[in-house]
Amino acid sequence: MKLMNSLPPAWRPRRLRRTSALRCLVRETSLAPADFIYPLFVTHSDTGPVLSMPGVARLDVPGCVRLAREAAEAGIPGVLLFGVPEHKDPAASGAADPSGPVALAASALKAQVPELAVITDVCLCSYTDHGHCGILAGDRIDNDATLPVLANMACAHAAAGADIVAPSGMMDHMVAAIRRHLDAQGFPEVAILSYSAKYASSFYGPFRHAADGAPKSGDRKTHQMDPANVREALREIEHDVQEGADMVMVKPALAYLDVISRVRTRMPEVPLVAYNVSGEYAMIKAAAEQGLADERDAALEVLTSIKRAGADSIITYHALEAAAWLQA
């Protein structure tokens, strides 16, 4: 009783936790379908479910349009397209093919779901037969030889109707090369979302199955960032913005909430996207299948944490499900 008498009379934080309505009134972070970007894997013929990512499939162009329309109707403002081509070679010659799956899907989406923002991934890993993100010189990636290939790929996507191109290979000066080429080819209005802080993470495995983009030998530690570093991420992001990036990304999200927060504090004016990657998605699916977690609660908690850390938009495979849960 003495303790109670010593406390200030206003110190009753539980007063605002008693009901759902009260908690809603004082909630600091809100989550909505408009916060999501929905990633889609598009191919010409090798369609079907991705076994390591329950609920995710490789889609042909009509299937991509169908899911994108569902996303738009659910209030999700954008999709991110990943191509799964039939042909691969050392030069990634299919990356800029105007009849490739991404170009065809982007064109179809702009014609049939025009209200949706179409973002395209610009990287070579799914287009090279060795699975690396750039052109090889011997056993190493030739950074500068890769840049024009990425620039041509970005322009092919822009010509097909992409609103935003998203270079993800972590090549030095990729943003500058793409910006110059887009402008020179008559696409100054196409924005760049740079995967500026992309870490060499263990959470990409299911994605590599879906996109058929795993390296045949070696790894990606020479160009993706060391998970131990955050100051380096800040330098990467500042450099990309100086080169012309309109938006920047931290990938993955869940293990890098501190990086998201640091970027938000350092550069509050720059639109910040976080990628809730395939391994993070698959963990929640696996836990739910084993009865170890409620999928809805766990997914929304994770997505809220990413938003709370400072992300403006979240790329997530849970986008359609999360939009339905939030609107229920």
Side-chain angles (χ1 to χ4, degrees):
M1 193 65 184
K2 288 182 180 179
L3 175 63
M4 292 297 299
N5 289 336
S6 67
L7 292 175
W11 182 245
R12 289 281 186 175
R14 286 185 57 207
R15 288 178 181 139
L16 299 179
R17 301 175 191 158
R18 292 184 298 109
T19 67
S20 295
L22 288 171
R23 290 194 296 273
C24 184
L25 283 174
V26 297
R27 186 163 294 147
E28 299 171 22
T29 304
S30 61
L31 193 66
D35 296 322
F36 304 143
I37 296 168
Y38 191 25
L40 300 171
F41 298 97
V42 60
T43 183
H44 285 314
S45 59
D46 187 16
T47 59
V50 178
L51 297 181
S52 57
M53 299 174 69
V56 175
R58 292 179 177 178
L59 307 162
D60 58 13
V61 171
C64 181
V65 170
R66 176 182 57 81
L67 271 188
R69 183 175 287 113
E70 288 184 26
E73 291 172 351
I76 296 167
V79 295
L80 173 58
L81 302 181
F82 294 97
V84 188
E86 295 174 333
H87 172 74
K88 301 172 184 279
D89 59 41
S93 59
D97 185 355
S99 62
V102 169
L104 293 179
S107 179
L109 288 174
K110 294 315 295 181
Q112 299 182 51
V113 198
E115 69 274 23
L116 201 64
V118 175
I119 310 167
T120 61
D121 182 76
V122 177
C123 189
L124 305 186
C125 57
S126 291
Y127 297 85
T128 55
D129 55 5
H130 46 72
H132 283 287
C133 299
I135 304 301
L136 293 187
D139 60 355
R140 67 176 182 84
I141 292 178
D142 187 330
N143 186 96
D144 293 356
T146 299
L147 297 181
V149 184
L150 293 175
N152 287 333
M153 185 181 187
C155 278
H157 293 176
D163 300 292
I164 302 169
V165 293
S168 63
M170 289 294 287
M171 297 294 111
D172 293 342
H173 305 300
M174 63 183 183
V175 173
I178 289 171
R179 183 71 273 160
R180 284 196 298 265
H181 201 47
L182 286 171
D183 292 351
Q185 295 299 311
F187 301 110
E189 76 286 355
V190 173
I192 296 175
L193 163 59
S194 180
Y195 288 63
S196 298
K198 182 178 181 181
Y199 285 86
S201 172
S202 60
F203 290 102
Y204 299 152
F207 173 91
R208 290 175 180 172
H209 296 156
D212 191 23
K216 298 297 186 291
S217 62
D219 55 39
R220 294 175 178 160
K221 292 180 180 178
T222 66
H223 51 289
Q224 293 179 357
M225 286 182 49
D226 187 333
N229 292 356
V230 63
R231 295 192 300 270
E232 181 185 4
L234 299 176
R235 293 198 302 273
E236 286 272 9
I237 285 171
E238 289 175 349
H239 184 263
D240 281 359
V241 171
Q242 290 168 1
E243 288 197 346
D246 302 281
M247 308 165 72
V248 297
M249 185 192 302
V250 174
K251 177 185 180 182
L254 188 55
Y256 298 88
L257 296 177
D258 63 316
V259 180
I260 296 169
S261 179
R262 289 281 296 275
V263 173
R264 178 78 295 152
T265 300
R266 176 73 70 88
M267 305 190 77
E269 72 284 0
V270 178
L272 175 58
V273 179
Y275 199 148
N276 179 218
V277 299
S278 61
E280 298 167 346
Y281 169 86
M283 285 194 305
I284 291 178
K285 287 287 185 179
E289 288 175 359
Q290 294 295 317
L292 301 176
D294 179 276
E295 182 180 1
R296 175 192 179 279
D297 290 349
L300 291 180
E301 183 176 347
V302 164
L303 295 171
T304 300
S305 76
I306 298 168
K307 183 79 180 296
R308 187 182 67 238
D312 297 303
S313 299
I314 305 167
I315 301 167
T316 175
Y317 301 93
H318 266 119
L320 266 183
E321 292 166 299
W325 292 329
L326 291 170
Q327 293 171 340

